[in-house]
């Protein structure tokens, strides 16, 4: 493996750095962007229970804010619910925009790696071919080992760039899709809360609905 990397020349250094960056971002984001951690499916039901039992106080709202991103979105709506539907929606949207920005953290960097890695490989290919033609001009076509070294450098960097770019692109698309799904779920939960507090929807007890 080391021989292959070495044969790729100095262009393998930024390509390897890209691979480390892509791996680190992918692992961190897949661990962080767990739907159960960001938007627990039973959180709104817990809020309904607090409201039904008249337990929704400042302490419960602080607990909700500290729980997860969806909790912070719902807490913002609850705190501003007395100011009317429009103000409540605006406060939810403001907090949600911050949470979405946090969820999309590093995704642009991952997408950049996916775009740049094959270009670095292509640059390595061009450099390798320039070396090949330079040697041909100096020594002619009789030195097969020299020509093979330049061609090898060109092919190794191209392959390395693609090997990094393809998984990085796949991870970027998967993570972006996960963020979109979480955002849609959070939006649905927030709309339910707004509708219930302002009389457009009734609270449905899930346990009774399943009977």
């Amino acid at each position: 493996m080391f021989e292959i990397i070495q044969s790729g020349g100095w262009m393998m250094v930024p390509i390897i750095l890209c691979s480390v960056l892509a791996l680190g971002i992918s692992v961190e984001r897949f661990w962080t962007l767990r739907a159960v951690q960001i938007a627990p499916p039973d959180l709104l039901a817990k809020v309904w229970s607090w409201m039904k039992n008249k337990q929704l106080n400042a302490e419960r709202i602080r607990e909700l804010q500290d729980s997860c991103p969806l909790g912070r979105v719902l807490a913002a709506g609850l705190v501003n619910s007395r100011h009317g539907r429009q103000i409540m929606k605006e406060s939810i949207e403001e907090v949600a925009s911050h949470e979405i920005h946090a969820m999309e953290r590093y995704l642009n960097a991952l997408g950049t790696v996916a775009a740049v890695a094959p270009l670095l490989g292509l640059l390595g290919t061009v450099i390798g071919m320039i070396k090949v033609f330079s040697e041909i001009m100096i020594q002619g076509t009789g030195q097969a080992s020299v020509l093979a070294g330049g061609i090898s450098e060109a092919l190794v960097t191209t392959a390395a760039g693609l090997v990094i770019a393809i998984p990085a692109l796949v991870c970027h698309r998967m993570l972006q899709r996960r963020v979109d799904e979480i955002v849609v779920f959070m939006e649905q939960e927030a709309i339910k809360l707004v509708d219930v507090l302002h009389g457009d929807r009734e609270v449905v007890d899930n346990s009774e609905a399943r009977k």
Side-chain angles (χ1 to χ4, degrees):
M1 178 63 70
F2 179 75
E3 289 77 9
I4 295 176
I5 294 174
Q6 191 175 25
S7 67
W10 64 270
M11 279 304 301
M12 289 298 293
V13 175
I15 291 175
I16 292 173
L17 291 177
C18 284
S19 70
V20 173
L21 181 61
L23 179 61
I25 293 175
S26 297
V27 171
E28 189 275 338
R29 287 291 88 186
F30 274 114
W31 175 257
T32 302
L33 295 176
R34 290 172 291 164
V36 174
Q37 177 177 311
I38 295 177
D42 61 340
L43 187 61
L44 188 58
K46 185 184 294 186
V47 174
W48 294 153
S49 176
W50 291 343
M51 294 170 61
K52 184 177 180 180
N53 298 322
K54 301 187 184 303
Q55 297 175 340
L56 190 62
N57 50 32
E59 182 180 351
R60 293 293 191 185
I61 290 178
R62 282 195 298 272
E63 178 184 339
L64 195 60
Q65 289 174 331
D66 296 336
S67 62
C68 62
L70 176 58
R72 287 187 282 275
V73 171
L74 297 180
L78 291 170
V79 169
N80 293 278
S81 61
R82 64 182 181 276
H83 299 301
R85 181 186 182 92
Q86 187 60 34
I87 298 299
M88 183 179 178
K89 288 182 66 176
E90 289 177 359
S91 63
I92 287 175
E93 290 171 358
E94 182 179 350
V95 174
S97 66
H98 290 293
E99 297 300 332
I100 293 170
H101 179 73
M103 285 190 288
E104 292 179 338
R105 187 181 182 186
Y106 304 134
L107 292 188
N108 283 338
L110 183 59
T112 301
V113 169
V116 168
L119 296 179
L120 291 174
L122 179 61
L123 179 58
T125 299
V126 173
I127 292 172
M129 296 309 296
I130 289 174
K131 289 181 179 180
V132 170
F133 287 110
S134 297
E135 292 298 329
I136 289 176
M137 290 176 63
I138 295 171
Q139 304 181 21
T141 58
Q143 298 291 332
S145 60
V146 175
L147 301 181
I151 295 172
S152 173
E153 179 177 339
L155 296 177
V156 166
T157 54
T158 301
L162 292 174
V163 165
I164 294 165
I166 293 171
L169 180 60
V170 171
C171 290
H172 180 265
R173 294 291 177 86
M174 291 176 64
L175 289 167
Q176 190 63 62
R177 176 65 178 174
R178 182 174 296 188
V179 169
D180 292 342
E181 290 175 350
I182 293 173
V183 169
V184 169
F185 178 75
M186 291 173 64
E187 181 181 321
Q188 291 173 344
E189 298 295 273
I191 290 174
K192 291 177 185 177
L193 180 66
V194 172
D195 288 347
V196 166
L197 291 179
H198 289 279
D200 296 332
R201 183 180 300 192
E202 295 183 358
V203 177
V204 178
D205 191 331
N206 291 332
S207 61
E208 293 180 359
R210 288 192 294 266
K211 292 181 181 179

